[in-house]
Amino acid sequence: MKQILVLWPSFLVAGIAEMVFFTVMDPQQLYLFGQPVDFSPIATYSIGFFGFWLVCAASSLLTMFFLRPGEEINRAAAGPR
């Protein structure tokens, strides 16, 4: 159930980030490692969305990781008793 706490907000933010990014940038004028991107616009939008989603999910996952209380972290580090 914790996956939904990471994936759903990151999905929404990735959608917003993609709309903002591709409002400013034309997918046919993007360059990757000095070479023009030769994908169709739909493929570029899809790859961009999944890239944004991955970055946003990593951010949400790190937030959930750092929200753990110190007792839980110390208990896990001590091992089973």
Side-chain angles (χ1 to χ4, degrees), residues 13-62:
V13 173
I16 294 168
E18 181 178 18
M19 285 188 281
V20 170
F21 181 79
F22 285 115
T23 298
V24 176
M25 300 297 297
D26 181 16
Q28 297 298 316
Q29 295 179 349
L30 292 176
Y31 283 82
L32 183 64
F33 302 117
Q35 301 295 322
V37 175
D38 291 331
F39 300 126
S40 70
I42 296 295
T44 305
Y45 293 139
S46 299
I47 293 168
F49 173 77
F50 285 116
F52 283 126
W53 196 6
L54 180 67
V55 169
C56 294
S59 172
S60 296
L61 190 61
L62 279 173

